[in-house]
Amino acid sequence: MNNISIPELYGSYVFTDAVMRERLPKKIYKELKKTTAEGTELAPEVADVVANAMKDWAIEKGATHYTHWFQPMTGITAEKHDAFISPTDDGKAIMEFSGKTLIKGEPDASSFPSGGLRGTFEARGYSVWDCTSPAFLKEDSSGITLCIPTAFCSYTGEALDKKTPLLRSMEAINIQALRILRLFGDTETKKITTSVGPEQEYFLVDKELYNKRKDLIFTGRTLFGAMPPKGQQLDDHYFGAIRERVAEFMKDLDIELWKLGISAKTEHNEVAPAQHELAPIYDDTNIATDHNQLIMEYMKKLAPHHGLECLLHEKPFAGVNGSGKHNNWSLATDTGKNLLDPGKEPHKNKLFLTFLLAVIKAVDENATLLRLSASNAGNDHRLGASEAPPAIISIFLGEQLEDILNQIEIGNLKSSKSETSMSMGVSTLPSIKKDVTDRNRTSPFAFTGNKFEFRMVASSESIACPNYMLNTIVAQSLKEFADELEKAENFDDALTKLMQKTLKEHKRVIFSGNGYSEEWVKEAEKRGLKNHKSVVDAVYSMLEPKTVKMFSDFGVLSEIECAARAEISYENYTNKLLIEARTMVDMVAKQIKPAVISYAKIVADTIVSLSSVGADDRVEKELLTSITENINSLDNAYKKLVSNISKVDNISDIKEKAFFVKDNISTTMEELRKPADELEMLVDEKYWPFPTYGDILFYV
Ligand code: ADP
Ligand code: MG
């Protein structure tokens, strides 16, 4: 590391703008830039030249293969490698890569989830080059591969991936946001993009310990485990000094990410023991989404090099904090202006207030959809569990903005609370400027100065879905605003009226208090805000006529694409829980029961020995009774779980299946876990068949 120049390393594996400018003929470069900047279609001749330059660059860097890199609805990325090699008549080979191969690929992808969009016999799927996200090189033991970010669709043109709706939503919000800007007299801005900075939380555990736990291997989380004497009570891990092995991993990860032009910037220990966070600097949503996929992939890939395993699951350990992904989202113009920046005097910044109100309206009207976009089976253990944001969607704005909104409401908008100085009471410490508002850790959707932080997002999932939802719902609000304002005779009056009306209808979603409290649950219910405990409870929102209309009006998802995505949500939930349930059955039958039985025999033998010599065997007998009681409860829950699992196959309707799993399987899993965790505390640790929470969380 010492002799590596970071500026030289940074982006060295990316076909960056600078590389393109250097390697492409001026005219071709300009054409390509026009496509990426303005969204115009790319001519085939341009693609041919770009493909050739890309190939030469990749080969010079040592690449032998290329792949269309896409993001099917599994939530991870997919690739199918092809060699550049092309045999010639004289028995030799040349390295070839045409514009056609750059633009379109045809992976036989019939095994990817399609939500009923096609049968497995309909194998054809197309991957299409997304030239707005730069191509990059990936290195592994098989060599170096040129990766081309692509969108993925079916033979009939339906989106089968996470990227396509995201790209479509970026176009939708651009069009609507531009209409608003024009109304405010902005004639310069050509394009508006949404930016995202996702903070990724994760756990690192010792690889050898990990390998001894089937639950971690099969499901990414622990399904059993009693709480160790120490958890996160002392808060001594949060921002604590980073341990050596972890520090080496982070260094390695930074280097690999920097090569890929991913600006990994902030790294620190998180609240739970063994938990960490990585935040890159924000980027265009599309690129940030691709980068987040790569960040997750490289975390998993590099951890074993350091004897570690990376857990991206939302709740790997019960009883300590889980992981989330904070999706920091904002809108910026191509002239460099952040539309969510309130400036020093927000009450004078009507453009900002318009965008702010558009977001408030969007979030309130589509709260369930947002809840769905941020959730998966893993997040059900986290949302509302007094640690992460609650499952109720609300917005935190902070004192200053709330005060301004109050002024708008009463029709007397005239001032902004300003920042104050704060002294530390020590003359040698400088006095500092205090932010106008404090933070609120408990809010699922918080305004944080010049962006919104959507804090509910699932740590292991792609951020594409929450972002195409956010983009589309805000596009919808902006469209309604623009429709109203464009026909107004007096713009200022119409705007004031619109703001007041929007506030009146949607201020119920604004909440600054403690989102973890019981009172908020009651208050939210009074306000008519939804509290969906499980992701499956929220899936219906994808099928509501107003949702389908919105997505199809903006060309983000058609009616059948919406239906397909709802089906995939049910299917994913069911599959994940069934794998967990079966893993529990396996661990109980093959590990926990045999261990407890062996140990019970030792205790029983001891009782016989003790009583044969007339010694006191009270303690041993009590222990044996507790063991017997718990193993009986364990066995009852085990049988119930086995029976419930066998019932799932008889249900054909995918939605019914998901609800059966939620109401019967996940509850029985909890029943089964309880006696198992009790037994862990009763059995001699030498007999316990796998590493405990204490072993895993404190021995990295
Ligand atoms: P915190 O933990 O205080 O929320 P971090 O620095 O860990 O802050 O993460 C903040 C994230 O927000 C970073 O990824 C940062 O690049 C991103 N961010 C900053 N400004 C914007 C913006 N205008 N739009 C989107 N993301 C932003
Ligand atoms: Mg944050």
Side-chain angles (χ1 to χ4, degrees), residues 6 90 92 320 325 345-346 450 522 566 573 589 605 612 641:
I6 295 171
D90 56 357
K92 294 194 167 156
V320 292
K325 192 134 55 186
E345 294 180 301
N450 60 358
K522 289 192 197 116
Y573 178 84
D605 288 349
S612 73
L641 187 60

Side-chain angles (χ1 to χ4, degrees), residues 199 277 326 328 439 453 455:
E199 300 162 52
E277 180 187 295
H326 296 175
N328 294 276
R439 291 170 174 245
E453 185 170 343
R455 306 176 69 250

Side-chain angles (χ1 to χ4, degrees), residues 629-643:
E629 276 168 15
N630 277 296
I631 201 160
N632 281 338
S633 319
L634 183 85
D635 193 54
N636 288 339
Y638 169 82
K639 285 184 179 131
K640 192 167 154 194
L641 187 60
V642 171
S643 146

Side-chain angles (χ1 to χ4, degrees), residues 326-400:
H326 296 175
N327 191 82
N328 294 276
W329 180 92
S330 71
L331 290 141
T333 66
D334 57 349
T335 54
K337 182 173 168 165
N338 177 356
L339 295 168
L340 290 180
D341 185 354
K344 282 236 166 334
E345 294 180 301
H347 71 285
K348 291 184 182 158
N349 191 345
K350 295 270 175 68
L351 181 65
F352 161 74
L353 292 172
T354 307
F355 276 91
L356 180 73
L357 283 162
V359 176
I360 293 171
K361 173 178 156 72
V363 172
D364 186 36
E365 284 177 347
N366 302 281
T368 308
L369 207 52
L370 277 183
R371 159 70 171 104
L372 174 66
S373 80
S375 322
N376 64 0
N379 232 357
D380 278 5
H381 302 284
R382 186 178 156 252
L383 299 182
S386 299
E387 52 153 281
I392 308 160
I393 298 265
S394 65
I395 300 181
F396 171 81
L397 290 179
E399 227 175 290
Q400 188 195 42

